[in-house]
Amino acid sequence: VNVQDQLLKCSDLVGYLSVYRICFAMTGFFILFCIIMINVKSSKDPRSGIQNGFWAIKILVLIAICVGAFFIPRGEFGIAWMYIGLAGAFLFIIIQLILLIDFAHGWAENWVEKYEETESKCYYFGLLFFTFLFYAISIAAVIMFYIYYASGEDCGLHKFFVSFNLILSVAVSVIAILPKIQDLNPRSGLLQSSIISAYIMYLTWSAMSNNPDRECNPSIETIFDNKTGTPTATDYVEADNFDWQSLLALLMWILAVLYSSIRTSSNSQVGKLTLSEKTVLQSDSGDAPLVDGASDSGDEEKGKQHVWDNEEDAVAYSYSFFHFMLALASLYVMMTLTNWYSPSSDFKSLNANMPSVWVKIVSSWVCVALYVWTLVAPMVLRNREFS
């Protein structure tokens, strides 16, 4: 009995549930600060000091929540937290989609503007090259999907996913070059559509990779080893040793975070996403950029570091929404590290689940809807200015 109790305690510390508990603590930590930071308007609010300081205390609070999370009884915690993770990860995927669409529009508009200003053929051929590259990737992906993921008799759902998303990719490409769309948004073109099409195919593959029906979900190793017939259980155990899907998902997450960090709010939708309304100005000395409402501390004359409080009148971003996004990011990382599987501590009995399939495939449809909206919005809302 003692040995059995020890095994039960060890199972709480290893496996997928350990990831669930740690990410539960991180999510709870960010939600707590999301609530604390509600309606912070400027650095004059005493709560702004908590946002920008007290790091040792905040780290101790996070560690305390992590320790407490491991005392949560097993029960239905894993299943319940998995569904919460699915919902939160889906919302974070939507944020990724907004960043991706902003990136696609920004890239195309920047190169078109450079080509119009300089008439350099490099930008023109660059646009053509990357447009053909992303479309080639999409077409190759569709062919691979039909051969390896939708060829079985019981893979009708995968055939629908691939066919429907292929139709959507063609549709968005046609919409992007319609005369009415071009009149209102001359810089919309096929480069943006090709990027969105490639990402749709990535989401389609990610969804099909979570199908519990192994006949319709071969491993990457099985595909590249050219193995024929129905894969054996050994093939799947070997395939799980290196998770390409999670690796790509984490790479996309890192790129999204980096892009949202370096993209300025003055020329993108990222500022609106973080509820930022401030504009960047140049300081009188030209040494550093200021934000509208910034004040000079004047410490330079005393031999100290020259510091500006740039949030006396208004914060540069919404503190509360910032922590909310980090909470969603924690849930997304949790689902990615566990490969969107049902929680289990037995690595030999990992089970994919259909909810994760639908979360990812629906996110691909939401991606199409958001992109199409950016194209038709100037035509529908004529009284609003879109830049």
Side-chain angles (χ1 to χ4, degrees):
V1 177
N2 294 333
V3 174
Q4 185 177 3
D5 291 340
Q6 290 178 357
L7 290 175
L8 289 175
K9 292 180 180 179
C10 289
S11 64
D12 290 339
L13 303 176
V14 299
Y16 278 18
L17 280 177
S18 64
V19 178
Y20 275 40
R21 294 177 188 276
I22 292 174
C23 290
F24 171 83
M26 294 176 61
T27 304
F29 175 81
F30 290 124
I31 290 295
L32 173 64
F33 277 86
C34 173
I35 297 173
I36 293 175
M37 296 299 165
I38 289 177
N39 205 33
V40 174
K41 298 297 185 181
S42 69
S43 61
K44 298 176 182 177
D45 192 312
R47 292 175 295 172
S48 67
I50 301 177
Q51 171 71 12
N52 300 311
F54 298 96
W55 297 106
I57 297 176
K58 288 190 285 190
I59 291 175
L60 290 176
V61 170
L62 178 58
I63 293 175
I65 299 176
C66 282
V67 173
F70 282 91
F71 288 92
I72 299 176
R74 289 175 62 93
E76 299 298 326
F77 167 76
I79 298 298
W81 191 240
M82 182 196 73
Y83 284 105
I84 295 175
L86 286 173
F90 175 76
L91 292 177
F92 188 78
I93 289 176
I94 302 303
I95 294 175
Q96 278 189 330
L97 298 179
I98 296 174
L99 296 174
L100 177 69
I101 293 172
D102 180 77
F103 167 75
H105 281 298
W107 181 7
E109 290 174 3
N110 181 265
W111 279 24
V112 169
E113 183 179 352
K114 292 289 181 62
Y115 172 69
E116 292 175 349
E117 291 177 354
T118 64
E119 296 184 356
S120 173
K121 294 296 184 180
C122 294
Y123 293 105
Y124 177 76
F125 287 112
L127 289 169
L128 288 178
F129 172 77
F130 284 104
T131 299
F132 281 114
L133 175 64
F134 287 117
Y135 274 127
I137 293 174
S138 301
I139 294 172
V142 170
I143 295 173
M144 295 286 288
F145 294 161
Y146 277 121
I147 294 175
Y148 294 103
Y149 291 89
S151 59
E153 295 181 358
D154 298 330
C155 302
L157 187 61
H158 283 192
K159 293 177 182 177
F160 167 72
F161 288 160
V162 177
S163 302
F164 187 68
N165 282 2
L166 175 60
I167 294 172
L168 291 179
S169 299
V170 174
V172 297
S173 300
V174 173
I175 293 174
I177 57 176
L178 288 176
K180 290 185 178 180
I181 300 296
Q182 290 290 311
D183 290 341
L184 296 173
N185 191 2
R187 292 180 178 175
S188 69
L190 293 178
L191 177 61
Q192 298 98 310
S193 300
S194 66
I195 295 173
I196 299 302
S197 297
Y199 190 71
I200 290 172
M201 294 307 157
Y202 159 72
L203 290 176
T204 305
W205 168 73
S206 183
M208 294 187 298
S209 297
N210 278 106
N211 193 327
D213 186 356
R214 288 300 193 175
E215 182 181 354
C216 306
N217 180 15
S219 66
I220 298 295
E221 289 81 359
T222 302
I223 293 175
F224 285 97
D225 288 344
N226 294 320
K227 294 182 179 180
T228 58
T230 302
T232 63
T234 305
D235 295 332
Y236 294 122
V237 172
E238 294 175 353
D240 287 333
N241 289 337
F242 192 83
D243 191 355
W244 290 97
Q245 178 188 334
S246 297
L247 177 65
L248 290 176
L250 288 174
L251 179 61
M252 294 293 296
W253 176 76
I254 293 172
L255 292 176
V257 172
L258 289 176
Y259 177 74
S260 63
S261 300
I262 64 178
R263 187 80 157 128
T264 60
S265 61
S266 60
N267 61 353
S268 73
Q269 299 301 313
V270 179
K272 297 179 182 178
L273 181 64
T274 57
L275 307 182
S276 174
E277 299 178 354
K278 302 178 72 175
T279 56
V280 178
L281 303 176
Q282 188 69 26
S283 63
D284 293 337
S285 61
D287 294 332
L290 296 177
V291 179
D292 190 15
S295 64
D296 191 345
S297 64
D299 289 335
E300 190 176 36
E301 297 177 357
K302 303 176 183 179
K304 299 179 181 179
Q305 184 180 4
H306 206 173
V307 179
W308 289 278
D309 181 1
N310 59 1
E311 295 182 328
E312 280 191 341
D313 294 335
V315 294
Y317 58 93
S318 171
Y319 293 166
S320 181
F321 191 73
F322 169 76
H323 287 288
F324 178 71
M325 288 181 62
L326 290 180
L328 296 181
S330 300
L331 293 174
Y332 178 79
V333 170
M334 178 186 77
M335 299 308 297
T336 299
L337 291 177
T338 57
N339 203 17
W340 301 73
Y341 286 134
S342 297
S344 172
S345 297
D346 185 3
F347 286 96
K348 295 182 180 180
S349 61
L350 298 179
N351 293 314
N353 59 88
M354 289 306 295
S356 63
V357 174
W358 286 105
V359 164
K360 294 181 180 182
I361 204 67
V362 169
S363 67
S364 70
W365 300 338
V366 173
C367 177
V368 174
L370 289 173
Y371 175 63
V372 171
W373 174 248
T374 63
L375 297 177
V376 302
M379 184 170 56
V380 176
L381 305 175
R382 294 182 178 273
N383 294 329
R384 293 190 59 181
E385 180 181 354
F386 295 87
S387 57

